[in-house]
Amino acid sequence: MAFNALSFAKTLLRFSKKTLLEELKHVDARNTFSSSNINIKTPRLLRSFSYLAVDVDPDHVDPKLLSDMVRDKDTDSLTQFGGIKELATLLGTDVKRGIRDTHVDIDTRKRVFGVNEFQKPQSKGFLSFVLESFKDTTIIVLLVCAVLSLGFGIKQHGWKEGWYDGGSIIVAVILVIVVSSVSNFNQSRQFKKLSAKSSDIGVEVVRGGRRQSVSIFEVVVGDIACLKIGDQVPADGLFLEGHSLKVDESSMTGESDHVHVNGDTNPFLLSGTKVSDGFAHMMVTSVGMNTAYGAMMGSLTRELDEETPLQARLNKLTSAIGKVGLLVAALVLFVSMIQYFTGNTRDDMGNREFVGGRTKFDDVMNAVVGIVAAAVTIVVVAIPEGLPLAVTLTLAYSMKKMMRDNAMVRRISACETMGSATIICTDKTGTLTMNEMKVTEVWVGKKKIDEDGYLAPSLVQLLREGIGLNTTGSVYQPQETSQPEISGSPTEKALLSWAVVDLGMEIDEVKQHCEIIHVETFNSEKKRSGILMKEKRGSNRFHTHWKGAAEMILAMCSNYYDHAGEIRIMDDEERVQIENIVKGMATKSLRCIAFAQKSSNVYGKLEESELTLLGILGLKDPCRPGVEEAVESCKNAGVKIKMITGDNVHTARAIASECGILDPDEELEEEAVVEGFQFRNFSQEERMEKIDRIRVMARSSPLDKLLMVQCLKQKGHVVAVTGDGTNDAPALKEADIGLSMGIQGTEVAKESSDIVILDDNFSSVVTVLRWGRCVYTNIQKFIQFQLTVNVSALVINFVAAVSSGKVPLTAVQLLWVNLIMDTLGALALATEQPSNDLMKMPPVGRVEPLITRVMWRNLISQALYQVLVLLVLQFKGRSIFDVSEKVKNTLIFNAFVLCQVFNELNARKLEKKNIFEGLFKNKLFIAIVGVTVALQLVMVEFLKKFANTERLSWEQWGVCVGIAALTWPIGLLVKCIPVVTNE
C-alpha cells in the first residue's frame, strides 16, 4: 500500500510510544518508503520507539505542537516526542554541531516555522498627526473666524473679491497644520527606526559546529543558542546542556523568584526571559509570534517619544506665557470692541467704520469677526507651542548624529540630562582599555616561564584541564591546517588561546577524557569560577579546578606546583613572595588570573581550601587610543571621572595613572584609591566626607558601585554610570544617566540603561556628554529667540489696539510669523553642531534655571528695541515716509519679520560676541535663513491679497533691512554688559 511521508511525520509527533507502536504494526514491513526523509532499517526495530531511526525534514513538524509544549511546560508532550534528542533529530539538528550553516536550510526553516520577529502595533499615519493638529482649540477658533469672514466677505463683495480675508486665514492655518504634521510625522518615523535598532540583539549560535554571533531576528527553529549570565533568551526552546542555569521569568509570570532550568525536571526556556546565573546551550523550538512571549515582546517595543523632564518644564513655561497671551488678547478684544462700537475707528478712506443705525449688519459682522480673529491670532502668537517642537527636533537630530558617533539613545530624556552631568563613574575593562586580552606573563610557583621554558607534562595536563573545562568559551577547529576559532569573553579567549598555542591543548580531547559533575559559574562577588570533574579512563579520581582573581585564589591555597611538577608547601614567607609577584605584575597594568586544583578519591563538593596553586597568568589589556585626551576633556569641562573596577588595587592604580584619572604627583593620591570593602565599611559620614576625593575604587562589587552612585546623588551630583554586566543593572538604574556597553554588555545591562555605547569606548561617552550639552544649549537658544518674538508681537499689537483700535499685524501675518518661529526657527537652531567651547563650560547641574540671566539680558534688549522701532513706525510711519496706511502696515510687518531673521543669528551665541563663528559649518542654518527671506519676499511682493500687504520700493526694503540689521550691533553692545551668574 502507498504510504505518505507527511502523514507519518505528523503521526510521529502526535502519538505516544504505545500508540505509535500500534500504528506501526499495521504497516507492512515489505513496503518501500519513497521519502528519503524516513529511514526504517528493519522491521524488528519497531519493537521500541527508542530504536526507531528517523530523520524528518522540518517541513513535516507542526510548529503549533512545539509552541504549545514549551509554553505549557508540558513534559508529557516532550516524552511523546521521545525526549530532547529525538526532537532534535526530527528538527534536523545535531545537538553538538547545530543546524547546517547553509542559506537553503536557514531559509527553509524560516518559511516553515516563521521568522523571529514580532508584530508591532501599527504606527500612526500622517492623517493622525493632521487630525491631532486640528484638535488645537486656537486653530479651531481661527477656522471658525475664517469661515465667518469668508461668508460675510463673499456676501458683501461677491466671490471675486470677498474670499480674500477669510480664505487667507484658512490657507495660513492649513499651512501651519501641514508643516507641524509633517515635522511630527518625520520625528515619529525617526524614533521608530531607533526603537527597531535598540531591539536588534546579538545572539551566539552554533551552526555547522562553529560558534558565531547573529542578529536575534536571524535565529531559526533548530538553532543551538549559547546562553550566559545577563543574556536574553532569544526564542522558546529546550535546555540541551549547561550548568547552574537560573532564569528570571518575572516578565512572563510576575514572580520574582528565579527558576532553575535543567535537562531533567524543567528543560523549558521562554523567549524574553533573562539568564540570571549559569550558562547553557538551548535548542530553539519556536520563534517570533509562535513563542509564548511573542505578543508581549511586540508590546515591549519602546516608544521613544515620551515626555522628557525638559519638555515638561517647557510645557509649564508655555502654559504660563499662554495665560499672559489670553489676558492680552481679552484686553485687545474688549478695547477694540468698545472703540469700534463707539465710532472711534476709521477705514482706509478716513471714514468712521461704525455709525449707529446706518452701518449694515454684514459690515458690523465683518468687523466683529476681524476683531475676534485678531485677538485669537494674538493668542496663537503668544503661546510658544514651538518650544516642545524645538525640543523634539533637537533631540531627534542629536539622536541621529549620536548614532553615527557610536551612541544609541534608548531614552531620549538622557540626551538633555547628560548635558548636566557632573560625575562619570566608568568601568575599566573595555571602556578605558581595548578589551583585547593577551597572556604576556606566566608564573609557576616563584619562577617566570618564558616561551621556551620547561613545564612538567603532568602540570601541563592539569593546566589544560583547568583552562579547557572551567570555561564558558569554545574552540572550533575548521580544518587541521587552519587556525582555530576561539569564542567567548576577551578573558576566556586569551586564556584558551594561550592553552591552545603554548600548551598544545586540544579541547575536544580534554573533554572526552573528563566528565564534569558540578560547575560554579563566575561570580562578581567572589570573582572566581570552579568545576568538579572526574577522569573517565583508568582512574576514579575527582578533581576540583578553580580559576579567578589571583589574590582570591591564592587565599584558598596551602601548596603550589613548581615548574617541574613537584608540590611544595606554601609557608608564610613563600606566600608573601608569591603575593609580591602578583603586585609586580599588577603594577605593569596586568590582570592576574590564577589557577588552582585539588584531587581526591572520594566524591564530594567543590573544595575551597587547601588547594594547590597551578600558576598565575598575567593578561595585558592596553589602554584605548585617545582615552587620555578624553579624560582631560572631561576635567576641563568640570566633570569628574571615577574609575570603578574589579581588578586589584595595583592594576587599578596603574591603569588610572596611564589614563590620566590619577595624577601621580598629587598629594591626595593615597586617599584617591580605595578598595570596595573599605568603601562599604566606612560609616555614612565618612563616605560622604571622602567620596569627592575618591578617584578609583578597586576590587569593587556591584553593590559597592550602587552605593557610590547613591552617595554621589545625595551630595547633589548628576551622575552618569557605565556598566556591562547583569550586576551593574542596579547602578545603571540608580544613576541619572545609565550608559551600557554595546559589545560586551549583557541584555539586562542594556535594558537598565538610557544610552548604549556601541563601541564600548570612553571617548564615545565624552561624545555623548558633548551632545548632551549641545542639546541643552540649542534649546536655550531657541527659547531666547522665540520669547523675543512673543514679547515683541504682544506689546506691539496690544499698544496699537488700545491706542487706535486696530492691530498693525493681521491674523495671516501673525500666523506667518508663528510658522517662521515654530518650525523654521526651531529647525535652524536645533541643528547647531556641538563646539569645543561647550567642553570649557562648567556643568549645569540640577538646579540651574532654564532661562538664565544672560538670556534675560539678550531677550529684553532685543524685544525692547523691536517694540520701540515698530511703535514709532505705527504712529509716525505715514508722516515719516509719506505713505498710505496699508504701506505703513506692510513696512511694520516686513521690518518685524526681518528683525527675527537677523536676531536668529544673534541667538546662535548666547554669550560670545562673534555670532558668525562656525556659521558656514551649519549649511542647514544658512539654507533655512535663505528660505525664510525668500518666502518673505514672495509674501510682500506677490501675495498682496493673501497677506494683506502692498509692494515696497527698493528704498523701503532698504529701510526694513537697516532696521533689522541694527539688532546685530545692539546684541554686541549688550553682550559687553557683565552679568552676575546664578551660582
Side-chain angles (χ1 to χ4, degrees):
M1 67 177 179
F3 187 87
N4 184 276
L6 178 58
S7 65
F8 179 80
K10 290 181 177 178
T11 301
L12 182 66
L13 288 171
R14 287 187 167 86
F15 288 84
S16 65
K17 294 181 182 179
K18 182 178 178 181
T19 309
L20 182 62
L21 185 58
E22 292 173 355
E23 287 290 315
L24 291 172
K25 284 179 180 177
H26 296 291
V27 180
D28 189 341
R30 292 170 295 177
N31 284 335
T32 302
F33 295 92
S34 59
S35 174
S36 61
N37 293 321
I38 304 175
N39 177 23
I40 304 178
K41 296 181 179 178
T42 60
R44 60 187 176 84
L45 292 181
L46 299 181
R47 289 183 295 110
S48 166
F49 187 92
S50 59
Y51 290 102
L52 186 65
V54 183
D55 179 19
V56 180
D57 188 270
D59 273 324
H60 300 155
V61 182
D62 187 351
K64 189 175 185 308
L65 290 175
L66 299 174
S67 175
D68 292 345
M69 177 187 69
V70 177
R71 185 186 65 237
D72 300 334
K73 295 190 175 183
D74 189 346
T75 52
D76 291 338
S77 293
L78 183 58
T79 304
Q80 289 176 15
F81 282 122
I84 296 173
K85 290 188 177 179
E86 288 293 339
L87 182 55
T89 304
L90 290 171
L91 293 174
T93 299
D94 186 303
V95 294
K96 295 294 183 185
R97 298 179 58 81
I99 63 173
R100 292 184 293 275
D101 192 9
T102 64
H103 289 297
V104 174
D105 191 23
I106 293 168
D107 290 344
T108 300
R109 291 172 188 275
K110 286 181 180 179
R111 176 174 54 81
V112 175
F113 298 106
V115 294
N116 199 29
E117 295 182 12
F118 307 101
Q119 290 178 1
K120 297 171 183 167
Q122 193 168 2
S123 55
K124 291 195 294 185
F126 178 71
L127 287 177
S128 300
F129 291 100
V130 173
L131 291 173
E132 282 182 11
S133 300
F134 269 111
K135 292 177 183 176
D136 188 277
T137 307
T138 52
I139 292 292
I140 294 171
V141 173
L142 269 177
L143 284 173
V144 170
C145 291
V147 170
L148 290 174
S149 178
L150 191 65
F152 288 117
I154 291 172
K155 185 177 179 183
Q156 185 176 10
H157 301 292
W159 281 98
K160 190 173 182 181
E161 301 286 337
W163 68 271
Y164 288 138
D165 289 341
S168 298
I169 297 175
I170 290 173
V171 171
V173 168
I174 289 174
L175 187 61
V176 170
I177 288 171
V178 168
V179 171
S180 174
S181 301
V182 167
S183 175
N184 290 332
F185 177 64
N186 286 336
Q187 301 324 310
S188 174
R189 290 174 62 192
Q190 179 66 30
F191 290 140
K192 188 177 178 182
K193 287 179 184 177
L194 290 170
S195 178
K197 177 75 177 173
S198 65
S199 301
D200 191 359
I201 298 165
V203 179
E204 281 201 332
V205 297
V206 179
R207 290 179 178 173
R210 180 168 169 253
R211 191 161 161 176
Q212 55 189 285
S213 181
V214 299
S215 165
I216 191 172
F217 305 129
E218 292 299 314
V219 172
V220 295
V221 169
D223 257 330
I224 304 298
C226 308
L227 303 176
K228 61 182 183 299
I229 295 176
D231 282 353
Q232 175 179 302
V233 178
D236 283 2
L238 297 168
F239 177 95
L240 283 178
E241 61 176 358
H243 296 279
S244 309
L245 186 66
K246 287 186 180 179
V247 177
D248 178 5
E249 293 187 353
S250 57
S251 55
M252 280 291 292
T253 63
E255 298 294 331
S256 57
D257 292 339
H258 293 175
V259 178
H260 185 67
V261 180
N262 53 48
D264 300 324
T265 58
N266 178 29
F268 303 103
L269 287 154
L270 301 174
S271 171
T273 57
K274 304 289 193 303
V275 178
S276 58
D277 196 9
F279 61 91
H281 285 182
M282 67 169 280
M283 179 177 69
V284 175
T285 56
S286 302
V287 293
M289 297 309 294
N290 289 327
T291 64
Y293 205 49
M296 209 177 300
M297 279 297 288
S299 68
L300 280 181
T301 303
R302 281 168 294 280
E303 290 293 331
L304 296 182
D305 54 349
E306 81 269 16
E307 185 178 74
T308 73
L310 185 55
Q311 283 175 322
R313 290 172 71 184
L314 288 176
N315 285 337
K316 287 182 181 179
L317 179 64
T318 301
S319 177
I321 297 172
K323 289 174 183 176
V324 174
L326 279 172
L327 179 62
V328 172
L331 283 171
V332 168
L333 181 64
F334 179 70
V335 170
S336 298
M337 286 289 192
I338 290 176
Q339 288 186 326
Y340 176 77
F341 285 110
T342 55
N344 289 321
T345 57
R346 298 181 181 274
D347 59 20
D348 293 340
M349 305 299 294
N351 301 319
R352 292 170 62 183
E353 287 188 319
F354 180 81
V355 179
R358 298 181 189 176
T359 308
K360 295 179 182 178
F361 176 76
D362 288 351
D363 293 339
V364 173
M365 289 307 299
N366 274 334
V368 169
V369 167
I371 292 169
V372 171
V376 172
T377 310
I378 286 174
V379 176
V380 173
V381 174
I383 297 175
E385 63 269 19
L387 290 181
L389 175 63
V391 176
T392 304
L393 284 169
T394 305
L395 292 173
Y397 176 79
S398 302
M399 288 167 70
K400 189 174 180 181
K401 290 289 186 181
M402 286 165 72
M403 180 70 82
R404 294 178 186 173
D405 291 337
N406 295 309
M408 183 180 72
V409 179
R410 290 170 45 82
R411 295 180 179 86
I412 59 174
S413 57
C415 287
E416 62 198 42
T417 311
M418 192 67 187
S420 306
T422 58
I423 299 276
I424 299 176
C425 296
T426 178
D427 280 338
K428 176 187 76 69
T429 305
T431 308
L432 299 174
T433 59
M434 295 284 288
N435 207 15
E436 294 176 358
M437 298 285 189
K438 184 180 180 182
V439 176
T440 58
E441 274 193 33
V442 179
W443 288 77
V444 174
K446 296 181 288 182
K447 180 179 174 61
K448 184 177 179 180
I449 307 299
D450 298 324
E451 289 184 11
D452 301 328
Y454 171 78
L455 283 179
S458 59
L459 183 58
V460 169
Q461 184 59 29
L462 287 172
L463 282 168
R464 287 173 180 168
E465 292 172 1
I467 295 173
L469 299 176
N470 188 9
T471 183
T472 55
S474 64
V475 180
Y476 170 66
Q477 183 76 49
Q479 297 174 356
E480 290 184 9
T481 55
S482 61
Q483 290 292 323
E485 295 178 11
I486 300 174
S487 305
S489 68
T491 302
E492 297 285 7
K493 286 166 72 174
L495 295 174
L496 287 170
S497 179
W498 179 76
V500 169
V501 176
D502 288 32
L503 299 182
M505 180 185 74
E506 292 187 10
I507 197 165
D508 292 334
E509 184 180 337
V510 172
K511 289 181 177 179
Q512 286 171 6
H513 294 164
C514 305
E515 177 187 354
I516 297 176
I517 298 170
H518 181 66
V519 174
E520 184 171 315
T521 53
F522 180 82
N523 184 293
S524 57
E525 292 284 344
K526 295 182 178 180
K527 301 193 181 300
R528 66 183 190 225
S529 63
I531 61 163
L532 177 64
M533 43 91 43
K534 177 187 174 184
E535 294 179 9
K536 287 184 178 178
R537 300 177 187 175
S539 172
N540 286 323
R541 289 178 66 77
F542 296 90
H543 300 277
T544 295
H545 279 277
W546 284 99
K547 80 170 179 193
E551 57 266 40
M552 301 293 183
I553 299 299
L554 202 57
M556 301 162 64
C557 294
S558 57
N559 306 293
Y560 69 92
Y561 279 99
D562 63 14
H563 70 286
E566 297 293 329
I567 297 177
R568 299 187 181 275
I569 296 173
M570 190 185 299
D571 58 26
D572 292 341
E573 184 181 342
E574 290 184 315
R575 184 180 296 275
V576 170
Q577 290 177 9
I578 295 175
E579 286 174 350
N580 288 333
I581 289 170
V582 173
K583 288 179 184 178
M585 295 168 73
T587 54
K588 301 174 189 174
S589 306
L590 298 182
R591 171 179 285 185
C592 302
I593 305 294
F595 293 85
Q597 67 92 222
K598 187 175 183 179
S599 301
S600 172
N601 290 321
V602 182
Y603 172 78
K605 61 176 184 177
L606 274 165
E607 297 286 348
E608 297 189 27
S609 61
E610 297 185 354
L611 302 176
T612 303
L613 182 68
L614 292 174
I616 302 169
L617 274 60
L619 282 67
K620 180 69 175 177
D621 187 9
C623 282
R624 285 184 181 273
V627 162
E628 195 170 355
E629 291 81 359
V631 170
E632 187 63 28
S633 178
C634 286
K635 287 182 177 180
N636 293 336
V639 179
K640 296 178 180 177
I641 308 295
K642 297 186 186 295
M643 187 178 87
I644 304 174
T645 178
D647 280 335
N648 69 45
V649 67
H650 305 290
T651 306
R653 188 189 297 273
I655 291 290
S657 298
E658 198 175 331
C659 294
I661 295 172
L662 278 181
D663 185 350
D665 300 326
E666 280 189 355
E667 295 178 5
L668 294 174
E669 189 191 352
E670 290 304 319
E671 286 186 312
V673 182
V674 299
E675 293 190 78
F677 77 91
Q678 293 175 299
F679 184 73
R680 81 178 79 106
N681 289 330
F682 286 153
S683 65
Q684 178 67 10
E685 292 74 19
E686 282 182 299
R687 275 197 294 269
M688 298 301 285
E689 191 268 328
K690 294 181 178 181
I691 194 165
D692 282 329
R693 294 196 294 274
I694 294 172
R695 305 283 182 81
V696 177
M697 185 159 66
R699 280 291 173 240
S700 63
S701 71
L703 292 178
D704 296 331
K705 194 171 189 176
L706 174 62
L707 185 60
M708 175 167 275
V709 173
Q710 290 170 337
C711 291
L712 288 168
K713 289 181 72 176
Q714 288 171 22
K715 290 274 283 189
H717 290 290
V718 179
V719 187
V721 170
T722 69
D724 57 7
T726 304
N727 292 318
D728 289 327
L732 290 169
K733 283 185 177 179
E734 181 70 25
D736 295 290
I737 313 103
L739 302 128
S740 62
M741 300 297 110
I743 299 172
Q744 290 301 316
T746 64
E747 287 311 309
V748 174
K750 292 175 187 176
E751 286 290 332
S752 304
S753 67
D754 305 301
I755 297 172
V756 180
I757 304 300
L758 299 176
D759 61 352
D760 292 15
N761 193 341
F762 185 76
S763 296
S764 297
V765 176
V766 179
T767 302
V768 173
L769 178 64
R770 280 164 55 90
W771 272 110
R773 291 189 169 193
C774 182
V775 166
Y776 194 87
T777 306
N778 284 353
I779 291 167
Q780 285 186 313
K781 292 173 184 177
F782 181 73
I783 290 172
Q784 177 185 297
F785 168 69
Q786 180 155 36
L787 291 186
T788 303
V789 188
N790 291 135
V791 172
S792 303
L794 275 177
V795 174
I796 292 163
N797 269 13
F798 177 70
V799 172
V802 170
S803 59
S804 65
K806 288 200 172 187
V807 290
L809 300 173
T810 66
V812 172
Q813 290 170 353
L814 286 176
L815 283 171
W816 166 239
V817 173
N818 199 51
L819 187 67
I820 293 173
M821 289 188 306
D822 285 359
T823 307
L824 298 179
L827 189 60
L829 292 170
T831 54
E832 283 288 305
Q833 300 282 338
S835 64
N836 292 329
D837 294 333
L838 292 172
M839 298 301 285
K840 296 175 184 175
M841 298 161 51
V844 175
R846 292 185 185 277
V847 293
E848 184 78 11
L850 189 58
I851 305 178
T852 63
R853 292 178 181 179
V854 168
M855 292 168 64
W856 279 120
R857 178 197 66 188
N858 300 340
L859 187 160
I860 291 171
S861 62
Q862 291 293 337
L864 190 61
Y865 166 71
Q866 290 181 24
V867 168
L868 287 174
V869 169
L870 297 178
L871 285 179
V872 168
L873 286 177
Q874 170 68 13
F875 295 112
K876 298 294 181 181
R878 290 187 65 176
S879 59
I880 292 173
F881 297 105
D882 191 23
V883 292
S884 66
E885 181 74 16
K886 203 164 187 181
V887 172
K888 180 204 76 174
N889 287 339
T890 303
L891 283 169
I892 292 173
F893 167 59
N894 199 34
F896 182 65
V897 171
L898 291 178
C899 276
Q900 313 322 319
V901 172
F902 278 74
N903 193 40
E904 201 164 2
L905 274 86
N906 277 329
R908 288 188 66 246
K909 304 291 180 183
L910 297 177
E911 293 188 74
K912 293 192 74 172
K913 296 181 179 66
N914 183 6
I915 60 174
F916 302 104
E917 184 181 334
L919 176 63
F920 294 101
K921 291 180 181 178
N922 191 348
K923 294 179 181 177
L924 184 60
F925 184 95
I926 297 172
I928 289 171
V929 170
V931 168
T932 305
V933 172
L935 290 175
Q936 177 64 14
L937 183 67
V938 171
M939 284 281 286
V940 172
E941 297 295 321
F942 303 106
L943 297 176
K944 296 188 295 179
K945 296 285 187 182
F946 173 76
N948 197 25
T949 56
E950 286 290 328
R951 298 188 72 168
L952 300 178
S953 65
W954 285 107
E955 292 82 4
Q956 290 164 343
W957 268 99
V959 169
C960 293
V961 171
I963 291 171
L966 280 174
T967 60
W968 286 351
I970 289 171
L972 181 65
L973 289 172
V974 167
K975 285 174 184 176
C976 294
I977 301 172
V979 174
V980 179
T981 61
N982 297 341
E983 294 176 3

